Amino acid sequence: MSEFNEFDQQGSVPGKDTGSIISHAFEMYKGVILYAIVAMIIYVIGDSILQSITGFNSWNIAEEIRDTDGNVSNFRSYYSPGLSLYYSFSSILGALLSPLYVGLIYIINKYNTKSTVEFSDLFIGYRQNFVNILIYSLIAHVVLRIALAMCGIPFFFVFPFFLLGYPILLFENASATEAMGKAYNIAKDNYGTFLGGSFLGLILSFCGVFACCIGIIVTGSFITAVMYSTYCAFLGKPRQIVFKQ
């Protein structure tokens, strides 16, 4: 069980522009990089198990992206055996592991407010508002997967509407529909900034693919820092979560 305590905290807040948000996210991410790596390793292990079951190797796509400088129009990997089965279950896997991203956002907030971070904080999403995080993540994965299937480009225009969902679920203990509605309304009114922030955040998260692919473990979670910094910019420093013993 948890409650929210609202009080004056230390910590920085970025301006409401793309440059300030990305700069703030970068500073936050540097401070929690080890936890981000752990989260990505857990995800990679889960994804590897799924790939071994379906027979599909998603690393082939990463290698093709690196070898073709991002030209995805003629990817051979799109015709790989097991692709359909892999994508059918990857959304479920993503939803089950999404509390790790929520936990990382919580750790980033602790780092920003100079609070003591514990390793168990990474798993707070499995204790705090888990059902709503799971529902929200499933919906987001389905919508973004559809956008990604439409030549990829619509994905970048849809993603900004989901940028604040996880922080709202965590810090405001909102339901999945409340988080989705609030994230959409704020993004709609500030779409230029959200589009720029999410686009750069995704590019920087994905840039590890070009570092022998394994670099994605280091960069892959950067988008969570962008989510947190965007939340701070438009909704202020989050309230501190205090667990009752």
Side-chain angles (χ1 to χ4, degrees):
M1 180 67 67
S2 64
E3 61 182 8
F4 294 98
N5 284 354
E6 203 165 4
F7 55 88
D8 185 27
Q9 305 177 62
Q10 298 179 357
S12 58
V13 174
K16 296 181 179 181
D17 61 274
T18 299
S20 296
I21 289 171
I22 294 298
S23 178
H24 184 267
F26 184 70
E27 291 302 316
M28 295 297 101
Y29 195 69
K30 288 194 301 182
V32 302
I33 188 66
L34 293 180
Y35 295 98
I37 290 174
V38 170
M40 280 304 300
I41 289 175
I42 293 174
Y43 180 85
V44 168
I45 291 173
D47 189 67
S48 298
I49 294 173
L50 179 59
Q51 289 184 48
S52 66
I53 294 173
T54 61
F56 172 71
N57 185 1
S58 65
W59 291 104
N60 290 338
I61 293 181
E63 291 176 359
E64 284 193 81
I65 292 174
R66 186 185 60 185
D67 295 340
T68 59
D69 295 324
N71 182 8
V72 300
S73 58
N74 296 309
F75 271 16
R76 296 185 304 275
S77 297
Y78 288 156
Y79 309 99
S80 300
L83 176 63
S84 298
L85 186 60
Y86 170 77
Y87 278 126
S88 297
F89 289 98
S90 62
S91 293
I92 298 176
L93 175 66
L96 290 174
L97 295 180
S98 61
L100 290 176
Y101 301 132
V102 173
L104 189 55
I105 291 171
Y106 178 60
I107 288 174
I108 293 171
N109 184 54
K110 275 196 162 186
Y111 173 78
N112 188 30
T113 57
K114 309 298 188 296
S115 301
T116 302
V117 176
E118 300 177 0
F119 181 74
S120 60
D121 292 335
L122 187 60
F123 305 96
I124 190 177
Y126 292 100
R127 295 174 285 151
Q128 168 68 28
N129 211 11
F130 172 70
V131 173
N132 283 300
I133 291 172
L134 186 64
I135 295 172
Y136 175 90
S137 183
L138 280 171
I139 295 173
H141 272 86
V142 170
V143 173
L144 293 173
R145 184 59 55 80
I146 293 172
L148 190 62
M150 300 170 63
C151 301
I153 296 177
F155 174 87
F156 292 98
F157 293 98
V158 174
F159 188 84
F161 296 111
F162 293 94
L163 195 62
L164 290 182
Y166 287 144
I168 291 173
L169 286 165
L170 173 64
F171 297 119
E172 301 180 21
N173 204 31
S175 68
T177 54
E178 288 171 343
M180 198 164 295
K182 186 170 184 177
Y184 173 82
N185 289 328
I186 297 174
K188 178 187 64 176
D189 294 337
N190 304 277
Y191 188 70
T193 300
F194 275 66
L195 178 62
S198 61
F199 179 78
L200 290 175
L202 288 168
I203 293 299
L204 291 172
S205 294
F206 200 59
C207 69
V209 169
F210 298 94
C212 301
C213 294
I214 197 67
I216 195 70
I217 292 177
V218 177
T219 64
S221 298
F222 179 72
I223 191 63
T224 59
V226 176
M227 292 175 178
Y228 172 77
S229 295
T230 305
Y231 183 94
C232 288
F234 287 91
L235 293 171
K237 286 179 293 186
R239 293 174 293 175
Q240 183 72 15
I241 300 175
V242 179
F243 279 92
K244 295 178 180 179
Q245 301 297 327

